[in-house]
Amino acid sequence: MLKIKRISDIGGYQRPSAAEDGKMLGCQGGGLRVRFWITLITGLVECLGFAGLVFGWASLVFVLKSQGYFGNLCANSTGNGTIAQDCSGQDEQFSLIFTIASFLNSFLTLPIGFLFDHFGTMVSRLLGISFYTLGMLLIAFSSPATSILLFPALSCIVVGGVEFLLTNMQVGNLFGTHRSTIITLYNGAFDSSSAVFLIIKLAFEGGVALRWSFLFMSCCAAIHLFRTFVLLPRKHIPYPLPENYSYGIKCGKTFKAKLEMPTENNSPQGQNTADKTERSFKSCFLSWLFMCHLLWLSVMQLRHYLFIGTLNPMLNHLAAGDQGLVSKYTNAFAFTQLCGILCAPWNGLIMDRRKGKELKPGESEQEADLRSAILSLALTALQGVLFSVCAATPILPLQYLTFVLQVLNRSFLFGGNAAFVYVAFPPVHFGKLFGMMLALSAVFSLLQYPCFALVKGPLGGDPLYVNIALAILSLLAFINPLYVYFHCRQRAALRSNGNMNTSS
């Protein structure tokens, strides 16, 4: 039996009486479902257009170079009787900007996650919108003489993007049986938003000034504000979803939802929720499940960050400095990023494939979700190895295949990471654990800068040996699905012996 034990802020609002609820437009039945779908679709547009812009850095670098940003770091060099321009210093600055931004993209998820868990959706989004708008304005009013503004600008855009993604992933809770699919869909949209910088590049080549493009992007903050106040809760969307749960502005005012918290474990769903709630943040963080998943994320994320950060100089090396070819391949890479939103949901479908099926005797929802995640984790690790091998092969036409594998693997990686944290650990700790996961993996990803320095220095611009080393390192990602597999086997064996330890 479910009893109301306390008024919780998890759902964000206190629900009015049934009579009052029925009088409010869109508060019951079909109106609720319409609101859910509007929230889902507008959140998808938000992630697709604004959340992951940093990963389109290669397209923006091409424009910034043509504008002369950090151009003072280029120097003439003489070789074989000819004078050539050496812009390795310029490339290093652009790589450093991306290294810092990609590090913050992951590391700042930790404080952002704590902020989201403690203060809720509205506060988190208002902070993110402020940073996003500031970053856009910094680029809009920068110039080659103030190239240094690119450092705080891209970092601010990253903070805003993370806030957009984190606050939108909870929308999956509105569609319980498809929760993992929606979470991965949002992460796929996050990946595909990198193509926005390609659109800015094409607009620039068509005569649109860089400043006007970024001023337009900054004005879109009005859209984010509208969603924050009208289509999202003040606190959080709970899981599982209470009956007739609603949120947002109703008839000119907001209200709070009174959630029914399970206090007795006489139902499978209530028991599962109680078991997961008993686990502390510390026990989750120190578990082998968390550590193995952290290794899985870290090694593949390093490969992706280094690939994106060194794409422009790598293409210059393989194309022998032909800027026409470099532009062609840069555009091809950016176009493939659009496919992230098409690739990511497949991973969610793999993780949700058991939904609606009967559980094994004595098996909890969490155990079934973990068992379903094994295939997803293994496929992602295999994709990472194939992507690393292709990236390590110094054949220019082969990079088309590399681009396809990169976007497929990145979609599976980040979407699968978020969905796994959701199903493997208590929802009440999601923001903190998701942030801790990305923060620690970000520390590991800082290795990209010394790798870049090694390529530009001793290796003379040839990334072959670094790419081979990263391809070998990618094999470590298989440790995670293997551990989850044996973890599930062990729990099944303990359950069959009647000694199931629910807190493990």
Side-chain angles (χ1 to χ4, degrees), residues 5 72 136 211 288 295 345 351 424 497:
K5 187 175 182 180
N72 60 307
M136 290 296 170
R211 172 170 297 181
W288 280 106
L295 176 66
M351 298 187 72
N497 293 331

Side-chain angles (χ1 to χ4, degrees), residues 121-432:
T121 304
M122 184 175 294
V123 173
S124 298
R125 284 182 61 84
L126 291 177
L127 181 65
I129 293 168
S130 300
F131 274 103
Y132 161 82
T133 306
L134 176 61
M136 290 296 170
L137 292 175
L138 284 174
I139 296 182
F141 292 104
S142 67
S143 67
T146 56
S147 300
I148 198 71
L149 290 178
L150 294 177
F151 283 91
L154 201 65
S155 298
C156 287
I157 292 172
V158 159
V159 173
V162 171
E163 293 279 14
F164 294 150
L165 177 63
L166 189 61
T167 55
N168 275 303
M169 283 193 295
Q170 62 179 327
V171 174
N173 293 344
L174 298 175
F175 304 86
T177 57
H178 303 290
R179 182 171 60 151
S180 295
T181 303
I182 291 172
I183 291 171
T184 54
L185 181 65
Y186 274 127
N187 278 270
F190 178 85
D191 291 340
S192 294
S193 67
S194 60
V196 171
F197 279 166
L198 169 65
I199 296 173
I200 291 176
K201 174 180 178 289
L202 296 176
F204 175 79
E205 292 173 344
V208 179
L210 194 65
R211 172 170 297 181
W212 289 112
S213 293
F214 279 93
L215 284 175
F216 172 78
M217 294 292 288
S218 66
C219 291
C220 290
I223 300 173
H224 310 313
L225 289 171
F226 174 81
R227 292 196 70 249
T228 300
F229 292 111
V230 178
L231 293 174
L232 286 169
R234 184 173 62 86
K235 289 294 185 178
H236 304 89
I237 299 175
Y239 184 82
L241 206 65
E243 186 179 357
N244 291 328
Y245 170 77
S246 191
Y247 55 90
I249 295 178
K250 299 293 184 181
C251 302
K253 60 181 180 179
T254 60
F255 61 88
K256 296 184 177 180
K258 183 183 292 184
L259 298 183
E260 295 183 354
M261 303 300 292
T263 58
E264 298 181 17
N265 298 337
N266 58 352
S267 70
Q269 188 179 40
Q271 185 172 359
N272 184 45
T273 305
D275 290 343
K276 292 171 74 174
T277 305
E278 289 175 1
R279 300 183 64 186
S280 67
F281 168 72
K282 182 179 179 181
S283 68
C284 295
F285 172 63
L286 296 178
S287 67
W288 280 106
L289 201 62
F290 183 90
M291 295 301 172
C292 288
H293 192 70
L294 175 63
L295 176 66
W296 174 87
L297 175 65
S298 297
V299 295
M300 287 190 286
Q301 182 174 262
L302 174 63
R303 171 68 271 186
H304 283 279
Y305 281 177
L306 187 64
F307 180 77
I308 295 172
T310 61
L311 180 61
N312 189 266
M314 183 193 77
L315 291 177
N316 271 295
H317 176 76
L318 295 179
D322 186 336
Q323 291 305 300
L325 271 178
V326 172
S327 179
K328 176 183 175 182
Y329 276 85
T330 301
N331 289 348
F333 171 73
F335 275 120
T336 58
Q337 303 310 294
L338 286 169
C339 299
I341 194 172
L342 302 177
C343 302
W346 291 103
N347 194 18
L349 290 171
I350 291 172
M351 298 187 72
D352 280 336
R353 68 188 187 281
R354 65 148 204 92
K355 298 291 187 181
K357 297 181 180 178
E358 187 175 347
L359 298 175
K360 293 181 179 180
E363 185 179 44
S364 68
E365 286 281 342
Q366 184 197 27
E367 292 170 331
D369 286 337
L370 278 178
R371 188 162 43 82
S372 295
I374 295 172
L375 178 60
S376 167
L377 298 172
L379 280 176
T380 307
L382 177 61
Q383 293 165 2
V385 172
L386 294 176
F387 159 58
S388 296
V389 170
C390 287
T393 307
I395 300 175
L396 187 59
L398 185 64
Q399 300 315 305
Y400 287 122
L401 177 59
T402 305
F403 298 160
V404 173
L405 289 172
Q406 189 270 340
V407 72
L408 177 65
N409 183 235
R410 199 179 76 188
S411 299
F412 269 62
L413 176 65
F414 292 109
N417 171 55
F420 182 83
V421 175
Y422 249 120
V423 303
F425 304 104
V428 69
H429 299 312
F430 172 75
K432 296 183 287 291

Side-chain angles (χ1 to χ4, degrees), residues 63-76:
V63 176
L64 296 173
K65 277 187 172 183
S66 67
Q67 289 286 88
Y69 282 73
F70 296 113
N72 60 307
L73 298 178
C74 292
N76 292 330

Side-chain angles (χ1 to χ4, degrees), residues 422-479:
Y422 249 120
V423 303
F425 304 104
V428 69
H429 299 312
F430 172 75
K432 296 183 287 291
L433 289 170
F434 183 70
M436 186 67 75
M437 184 77 68
L438 291 180
L440 293 177
S441 66
V443 175
F444 190 80
S445 71
L446 287 177
L447 290 173
Q448 64 179 296
Y449 190 70
C451 288
F452 179 81
L454 181 64
V455 171
K456 296 300 292 184
L459 297 181
D462 186 357
L464 176 62
Y465 295 108
V466 170
N467 285 333
I468 290 175
L470 289 172
I472 296 173
L473 185 66
S474 299
L475 294 172
L476 293 177
F478 284 102
I479 292 176

